[in-house]
Amino acid sequence: GKRKKPSAAIEPVLILPYNGGDFKPEGSDDRTKIDGALALCKLSSPIEPQGSPNYRDIFAINELKRQESESLQAFTQLVEYTRNIYANQDHRRFAWGLTMCGTKVRGCLFHHDGVRATSTMDIASSGGRERLVTLLVHWSFCSSTRLGYDTNMTRLKEENAWEIRCPDHDDDSKRNSFTSYITTRTILNASSLFGRHTRCYIARRKDDTSGTEVVLKDSWSLPRDLKKQSAISTVPDEARNLQLIKEKFAGENLNFSYPQVVTSSRAKLSVGGKYIIDDTLAIYEYDDGDEEQMYRVHSLIVTTPVGGFIKRVEHQGELVLVLSDAMECHNAILEKCGLLHRDISVNNILVITNDGDDSLRRPVKGLLIDYDHAISVDQDSTGNGTRSGTLPYMSIHNLEGAPGKRSALDDWESLLYLICWLGTFGINSKDRDNINKKKTAEIEKWRHGTMQDIAECKRRQMNSMDTFSVSILAGFQEEYFVLKLLATKIYMALFQHDGCKGAYLDTDDIVATDSFALAIAAVLNNPQGGQPSSKQPKPDPLVVRKEYEKEIVDDLLKAIRAAAAASEDLCMRQATAQGSGTAPNQ
């Protein structure tokens, strides 16, 4: 319904342009130049163009074209460049922009799922000039929240950090109960224009002198209790998921780490002496009845323990231990909480240093994070083919958007692709120079083309042990023998289980376009030698294998536990060799 803005005293600001045009602001991750930009300045500032622009300070980008016919190009460039504002301004909730083509000006508001633009303001007419001036004046008298800034975040310039106020309770009645956290480093910036705008920090409580670190995640999520979607029960909600995990694992003596929620709540804005939930309605301040508008909530989640990126591992033995812990956690959360993770990827598995008594055999632990896509297996029965995950690691059925429930096998399939990716391109920065670029052509296809193209490619590659070896295993770095063996065992469990072997639907329909694909097609179409077999359609083996899910998962757990045991021995030899100054015998 309607949300009326409370009146409040607002300190006006000046809206001033930057000097010149066609410049590349600091903070950009590319070489593109913008035509102009606006800055917010104190009312006491001299009324003159500002100096060198920095994306950290820009209020709105301006794209200018000589002709009205170039309006699409101007808008496209504005969309492309505005993402740099989110990447450089951690406290930015939404952004503004302007296009001017000839004498026609349009204002744009960038929210998390799209762009809204004003009607054309023709500055060749008095009415158009009046509307543009009115827009600028309104900006000048807007509160910081209406300009798109998060007033719960304060920049600490001397410390090069942020102070972030998190509500202690997800309850409007406790409006003054906040805890302040000081960021010590940034893990993830919001580098995309649309979506959750997830930002992650390592932080400490402002009033905690011990310096204990936590992870603070700031994102705009799609909550389970959507007001404008009918499939309410199937929408994931990370805060609820983490709370459920905390309750189910309370008092358990576990041999793996998992994210333990310290606090989780919706962000709250102070507007005119009142606190309101920061959500889509807070951006627009009204419900315009647009049923297509996605409804998002600004959420803050604080968890422990703190981990590092997976590419911090020193060698393949450590990587296997990390992956083993992550999948043990995955399996326990599925069994105890009924939650399926649905986004196994490089960024969602972290490394924790092990300081325990067994640190020589297990120097690191793994931590499976990001439960934003996790969903109850009982709820995931809509059959709507919803996709989730990170492109190179998505399972075949996930890529295809196939109807029916996702299962644990989809997540294990993602793990297989993750192992293959790291086995080919290197598990850390030290090993990137060892990439055999002649043998990466097939796996490179996992990040190019449409989702259907990638799914078709993976079906060919995974159809038999021969095709998997030729197209994927052949590209592994030579020293990764443990990873290669683990990948083989996981592949065999997923794609060669009795009763559901293979991944391809109809082998006679394969079209080969390069040397690798020709070799694959030769094996698929003529597996036993001699004359090619006649066309024999068969049911999708990836559908059939769901009937064997429990057996396959048991085989997968046995495989990764055996690899972890072997990796413990490898880590012990590494530690012994480092202590004696000799090279380990792998």
Side-chain angles (χ1 to χ4, degrees):
K2 301 290 183 180
R3 177 179 282 173
K4 186 177 180 182
K5 178 180 177 182
S7 59
I10 296 173
E11 182 180 351
V13 295
L14 291 178
I15 309 291
L16 297 176
Y18 283 93
N19 191 28
D22 193 30
F23 42 68
K24 178 181 177 297
E26 291 185 38
S28 173
D29 60 359
D30 54 38
R31 298 181 180 180
T32 55
K33 297 181 178 181
I34 63 176
D35 295 331
L38 299 177
L40 300 181
C41 304
K42 293 182 178 180
L43 201 58
S44 58
S45 301
I47 302 179
E48 60 186 19
Q50 301 302 291
S52 301
N54 189 314
Y55 274 119
R56 183 184 58 204
D57 305 315
I58 289 175
F59 166 63
I61 296 173
N62 310 328
E63 281 303 306
L64 317 174
K65 303 299 174 188
R66 293 182 180 275
Q67 305 295 329
E68 184 181 352
S69 60
E70 298 178 281
S71 59
L72 179 58
Q73 181 184 0
F75 180 74
T76 301
Q77 291 176 340
L78 182 63
V79 168
E80 179 183 353
Y81 305 153
T82 298
R83 69 178 181 83
N84 286 302
I85 288 181
Y86 291 111
N88 286 270
Q89 298 182 27
D90 288 14
H91 61 329
R92 202 63 184 262
R93 298 163 51 242
F94 58 91
W96 299 90
L98 288 174
T99 63
M100 178 181 289
C101 302
T103 62
K104 306 295 178 65
V105 180
R106 298 187 75 178
C108 297
L109 185 154
F110 294 86
H111 57 88
H112 301 89
D113 297 288
V115 184
R116 294 196 176 190
T118 66
S119 57
T120 300
M121 297 173 279
D122 189 351
I123 57 176
S125 68
S126 59
R129 291 192 295 273
E130 180 181 358
R131 289 181 59 210
L132 177 58
V133 170
T134 299
L135 173 62
L136 296 175
V137 170
H138 282 178
W139 276 343
S140 296
F141 283 88
C142 268
S143 65
S144 295
T145 57
R146 299 302 307 131
L147 292 174
Y149 297 97
D150 186 350
T151 52
N152 288 311
M153 296 185 68
T154 304
R155 183 70 179 173
L156 306 177
K157 293 184 179 180
E158 293 185 2
E159 299 180 41
N160 192 27
W162 290 94
E163 179 177 339
I164 304 176
R165 294 199 324 149
C166 299
D168 295 324
H169 306 278
D170 208 7
D171 183 347
D172 293 331
S173 65
K174 299 181 176 63
R175 68 175 196 172
N176 293 320
S177 180
F178 289 83
T179 297
S180 290
Y181 291 87
I182 307 299
T183 64
T184 55
R185 64 182 184 277
T186 300
I187 302 174
L188 181 67
N189 285 320
S191 57
S192 61
L193 182 61
F194 302 120
R196 293 182 290 170
H197 287 170
T198 300
R199 300 174 173 100
C200 289
Y201 310 91
I202 305 299
R204 58 174 176 80
R205 280 181 58 139
K206 185 178 181 180
D207 59 358
D208 183 1
T209 57
S210 70
T212 302
E213 290 187 325
V214 297
V215 178
L216 197 161
K217 181 176 180 179
D218 178 324
S219 67
W220 285 77
S221 58
L222 295 168
R224 187 175 300 171
D225 52 344
L226 286 182
K227 298 179 179 179
K228 297 186 177 182
Q229 291 192 7
S230 58
I232 294 176
S233 63
T234 64
V235 178
D237 187 317
E238 186 171 23
R240 284 190 177 96
N241 291 337
L242 289 173
Q243 192 62 42
L244 175 62
I245 293 169
K246 179 180 180 179
E247 292 170 1
K248 294 292 185 180
F249 286 172
E252 294 277 348
N253 184 18
L254 304 170
N255 60 354
F256 57 83
S257 299
Y258 66 94
Q260 300 181 51
V261 62
V262 176
T263 182
S264 62
S265 63
R266 295 169 293 176
K268 298 175 184 178
L269 297 175
S270 177
V271 180
K274 287 182 60 178
Y275 280 92
I276 63 171
I277 299 299
D278 192 13
D279 58 9
T280 302
L281 298 182
I283 294 177
Y284 296 123
E285 292 193 341
Y286 64 91
D287 183 351
D288 62 1
D290 181 2
E291 293 297 326
E292 298 300 319
Q293 173 63 54
M294 299 290 286
Y295 175 72
R296 291 183 182 269
V297 171
H298 186 188
S299 62
L300 297 163
I301 300 176
V302 179
T303 60
T304 60
V306 173
F309 289 119
I310 198 170
K311 292 196 174 183
R312 272 181 37 187
V313 297
E314 293 292 327
H315 52 79
Q316 59 179 328
E318 288 190 355
L319 176 62
V320 171
L321 293 177
V322 168
L323 298 180
S324 174
D325 282 352
M327 296 313 290
E328 291 286 1
C329 179
H330 176 278
N331 186 63
I333 288 173
L334 183 61
E335 289 186 347
K336 286 184 171 291
C337 308
L339 293 176
L340 187 64
H341 189 275
R342 303 200 308 166
D343 191 9
I344 302 296
S345 64
V346 168
N347 290 331
N348 288 341
I349 299 177
L350 301 183
V351 181
I352 304 173
T353 301
N354 183 13
D355 297 324
D357 296 336
D358 60 343
S359 59
L360 289 180
R361 298 187 73 83
R362 297 186 67 93
V364 292
K365 297 180 179 180
L367 179 67
L368 182 62
I369 63 167
D370 195 351
Y371 293 81
D372 207 18
H373 289 297
I375 197 166
S376 170
V377 290
D378 295 329
Q379 295 168 345
D380 189 17
S381 58
T382 57
N384 60 5
T386 302
R387 294 181 173 98
S388 64
T390 306
L391 193 60
Y393 317 117
M394 289 171 67
S395 71
I396 293 170
H397 267 183
N398 196 3
L399 287 164
E400 293 173 339
K405 295 172 64 175
R406 298 290 174 264
S407 73
L409 301 181
D410 289 280
D411 283 0
W412 280 95
E413 190 179 332
S414 292
L415 178 72
L416 172 62
Y417 300 144
L418 183 156
I419 293 171
C420 293
W421 194 268
L422 294 178
T424 301
F425 296 107
I427 63 176
N428 53 38
S429 58
K430 294 184 297 183
D431 293 350
R432 289 177 190 163
D433 294 336
N434 300 327
I435 299 173
N436 187 340
K437 294 183 179 180
K438 294 180 180 179
K439 297 182 178 180
T440 62
E442 279 292 304
I443 199 169
E444 282 280 5
K445 295 176 182 177
W446 294 0
R447 58 180 172 186
H448 300 296
T450 66
M451 288 190 177
Q452 190 61 45
D453 291 337
I454 298 172
E456 175 74 8
C457 173
K458 286 183 175 179
R459 279 192 181 271
R460 285 192 286 106
Q461 295 166 343
M462 301 297 142
N463 193 63
S464 72
M465 188 63 220
D466 287 336
T467 57
F468 181 58
S469 296
V470 169
S471 58
I472 303 300
L473 290 183
F476 270 52
Q477 297 188 21
E478 290 184 5
E479 66 274 22
Y480 291 165
F481 62 92
V482 176
L483 282 184
K484 195 170 186 178
L485 179 59
L486 177 58
T488 301
K489 289 185 175 181
I490 293 176
Y491 167 80
M492 292 297 293
L494 284 170
F495 292 99
Q496 297 300 317
H497 186 80
D498 288 341
C500 53
K501 291 185 177 182
Y504 216 82
L505 297 176
D506 204 345
T507 58
D508 288 347
D509 289 337
I510 292 178
V511 178
T513 57
D514 54 39
S515 57
F516 266 116
L518 284 168
I520 295 167
V523 174
L524 287 175
N525 291 328
N526 196 10
Q528 304 299 328
Q531 296 298 316
S533 59
S534 60
K535 185 176 181 180
Q536 296 180 349
K538 60 178 181 178
D540 186 351
L542 303 185
V543 173
V544 177
R545 79 178 180 185
K546 291 181 181 179
E547 300 173 14
Y548 305 92
E549 180 177 353
K550 186 179 186 308
E551 297 174 29
I552 295 174
V553 169
D554 287 343
D555 290 341
L556 290 164
L557 287 170
K558 289 177 184 177
I560 202 163
R561 286 166 182 168
S567 295
E568 287 182 0
D569 293 338
L570 178 58
C571 290
M572 178 64 81
R573 292 201 302 271
Q574 288 276 355
T576 303
Q578 289 175 359
S580 63
T582 61
N585 180 13
Q586 296 189 9

